[in-house]
Amino acid sequence: MKVVHTIQELRDQLRGQLRIAFVPTMGNLHDAHLALMAMAHQHGDPVVASIFVNRLQFGPNEDFDKYPRTLQEDIDKLQRQNKVYVLFAPNESEMYPEPQEFRVSPPHDLGDILEGEFRPGFFVGVTTVVLKLFSCVQPRVAVFGKKDYQQLMIVRNMCRQFALPTEIIPHETVRDTDGLALSSRNRYLSEVERREAPRLYRVLNEVRARLRAGETDAAKLEHDAQRELAAAGWKVDYVSVRRQRDLRVPAREEVAGGEPLVVLAAAKLGATRLIDNLEI
């Protein structure tokens, strides 16, 4: 695996390649990231990964400065897996040599709901850096995890509307044996919080089971789920049932009629904010 730190080095390594598969990350790699690399390996050659902690997607009170940066450990993991041909690991001055005044703004009805409501500007930062990385890598396919469900939809829509020659391939959420979705932020959890954390997945499963059993009052299901989490000490941002196709709130008749749905949640356990979702 070749490790490069500049855009020019990256382009030199990839010149003439037409089947590039790309996995963008912020590092602190775990098994879910490695699963994305393995899927990319099935869909293209060579596989390119990136590690860049993107300041643009962090709010003023979020964890940019303490976000785990473990580059050498990440390199070791990727070398052992042997799926990645080039790792692009730029520093901030390489990605943003001047203030990034041109930015990509998702439409309000998708970018300002759910995660966008509680993390203003987050998706502007995500789409801007993804578009810039795509410009650098020129991938034929890119793999994104379903854990970040709204992000996946926004990136896919961005590619379609800008006519980018990159197919976005989703990967199912990778979970620990107790159901907790793998995340770099899980390392912030204390031992007690780690034992409590799988409750988020269980609550989403309860919502899904009740919908499958024929309940149609999504607002009541959301309320019950939020109440259960709050009673266990969580600070809930949202538990929300939405349409899969556009993340809009479904009408009751759509719920009853079998509209494909997804239930999404974000909540803090102690100081750690976790997100998860389940398709229905």
Side-chain angles (χ1 to χ4, degrees):
M1 182 180 75
K2 297 175 175 61
V3 181
V4 299
H5 301 283
T6 70
I7 295 170
Q8 189 58 55
E9 289 177 304
L10 176 69
R11 287 174 171 162
D12 289 344
Q13 287 292 334
L14 298 178
R15 188 170 289 112
Q17 300 285 356
L18 300 177
R19 298 185 61 251
I20 298 168
F22 180 43
V23 182
T25 83
M26 292 206 301
N28 193 225
L29 304 182
H30 47 67
D31 286 349
H33 293 113
L34 298 181
L36 301 184
M37 310 296 174
M39 174 172 274
H41 189 67
Q42 296 171 5
H43 287 272
D45 181 37
V47 174
V48 178
S50 66
I51 292 177
F52 178 65
V53 183
N54 177 40
R55 184 187 296 270
L56 293 187
Q57 67 194 67
F58 287 80
N61 299 314
E62 295 185 332
D63 57 351
F64 174 78
D65 289 328
K66 70 174 185 176
Y67 193 87
R69 293 160 171 85
T70 55
L71 181 59
Q72 189 55 55
E73 293 175 28
D74 295 342
I75 290 171
D76 293 343
K77 288 178 181 178
L78 292 176
Q79 286 178 328
R80 287 195 297 270
Q81 190 195 34
N82 197 30
K83 302 291 186 186
V84 174
Y85 172 64
V86 174
L87 172 64
F88 178 44
N91 61 25
E92 195 164 20
S93 63
E94 180 67 19
M95 286 299 290
Y96 302 123
E98 58 185 279
Q100 187 67 36
E101 296 170 342
F102 289 89
R103 302 193 182 194
V104 181
S105 295
H108 296 302
D109 60 356
L110 184 57
D112 292 344
I113 62 172
L114 301 169
E115 286 298 282
E117 177 183 350
F118 288 91
R119 302 183 68 187
F122 171 67
F123 287 119
V124 172
V126 169
T127 50
T128 299
V129 77
V130 169
L131 183 61
K132 195 161 191 175
L133 287 167
F134 282 4
S135 175
C136 296
V137 176
Q138 300 285 301
R140 186 180 67 85
V141 300
V143 181
F144 286 77
K146 281 190 177 182
K147 181 177 76 70
D148 299 288
Y149 200 90
Q150 188 175 5
Q151 173 181 280
L152 170 66
M153 180 173 289
I154 286 173
V155 169
R156 179 179 278 155
N157 290 359
M158 178 187 74
C159 288
R160 186 183 68 252
Q161 291 204 0
F162 279 115
L164 300 181
T166 302
E167 178 187 359
I168 304 302
I169 298 177
H171 191 290
E172 295 296 331
T173 301
V174 180
R175 301 183 180 279
D176 211 331
T177 53
D178 58 7
L180 178 65
L182 297 189
S183 169
S184 297
R185 289 187 169 91
N186 291 353
R187 65 161 43 194
Y188 298 154
L189 298 168
S190 68
E191 289 186 17
V192 172
E193 290 168 345
R194 177 60 187 82
R195 291 194 293 272
E196 167 63 23
R199 184 185 302 273
L200 186 62
Y201 178 58
R202 294 198 299 271
V203 164
L204 294 180
N205 268 296
E206 290 170 11
V207 173
R208 181 166 68 174
R210 290 171 65 178
L211 285 166
R212 285 177 168 173
E215 292 193 42
T216 59
D217 190 344
K220 182 178 188 306
L221 296 177
E222 294 166 354
H223 174 76
D224 291 348
Q226 293 177 39
R227 185 175 58 185
E228 179 178 341
L229 288 168
W234 296 67
K235 182 181 178 182
V236 182
D237 284 347
Y238 59 84
V239 176
S240 188
V241 176
R242 299 292 176 114
R243 302 190 310 203
Q244 285 185 25
R245 55 191 163 99
D246 55 13
L247 293 187
R248 296 190 180 183
V249 176
R252 192 158 187 161
E253 57 268 23
E254 290 178 313
V255 177
E259 172 78 25
L261 304 173
V262 57
V263 55
L264 309 101
K268 274 190 174 180
L269 185 56
T272 306
R273 187 174 185 273
L274 302 177
I275 66 171
D276 204 349
N277 65 81
L278 282 177
E279 290 178 316
I280 306 163

